[in-house]
Amino acid sequence: MAAETRQERTAELFREAIDETRELARLEVELAKEELLSELQQAKAGGIAIGVGAGAALSGVTLCLVAIAMAFRMEWLAAVVIGGILLALAALLVLGGYKALPRRPLLGETKERVQTDLKQLKERVA
């Protein structure tokens, strides 16, 4: 009778552990999704900034080439100044976009949480 009670209790503990593990896995997946969406938004903003910067750089280079073509008159000075400003703006946008890109996706909080959860699960099972 005591053996049956012990087996029932052991089976109940395993069921609870399995249920808690399922719930923990579900929560971790939800948290990973949220973190991934946040990183995707950062990557999107960085990509847009890089694209705008590349467009501004192209405009600046084009304007500098026009300035060289117009160098035989005085209008070239205005073209060089505007081209230089556009190139500086392009450099700032590209740098800002590059810095906004995530460096190591999903290696932050999610990895730490999963490692902590695994450690606790191992301690509970052992």
Side-chain angles (χ1 to χ4, degrees):
M1 190 181 242
E4 283 183 27
T5 305
R6 180 180 283 169
Q7 286 178 348
E8 289 175 7
R9 181 68 183 141
T10 302
E12 183 180 330
L13 286 174
F14 274 115
R15 270 182 256 143
E16 286 178 14
I18 289 171
D19 289 341
E20 287 178 6
T21 303
R22 285 182 188 150
E23 180 66 16
L24 181 62
R26 186 187 65 77
L27 290 173
E28 287 298 335
V29 167
E30 285 180 27
L31 289 171
K33 283 180 185 178
E34 289 176 14
E35 191 173 332
L36 182 61
L37 285 175
S38 172
E39 289 179 4
L40 282 174
Q41 289 173 345
Q42 286 178 338
K44 179 182 173 183
I48 289 171
I50 288 173
V52 170
L58 181 62
S59 297
V61 168
T62 302
L63 200 52
C64 285
L65 293 173
V66 168
I68 291 170
M70 295 174 60
F72 300 108
R73 296 194 212 156
M74 203 52 185
E75 295 91 17
W76 68 272
L77 184 59
V80 168
V81 169
I82 294 171
I85 290 171
L86 282 174
L87 286 173
L89 175 65
L92 289 174
L93 286 171
V94 169
L95 182 63
Y98 179 74
K99 286 184 177 181
L101 295 175
R103 296 288 176 243
R104 304 177 106 195
L106 293 180
L107 291 181
E109 298 173 16
T110 300
K111 182 179 178 182
E112 292 173 10
R113 281 194 311 267
V114 169
Q115 287 176 342
T116 303
D117 293 343
L118 286 175
K119 182 180 177 184
Q120 289 176 353
L121 186 61
K122 285 178 184 178
E123 290 173 357
R124 264 188 127 179
V125 172

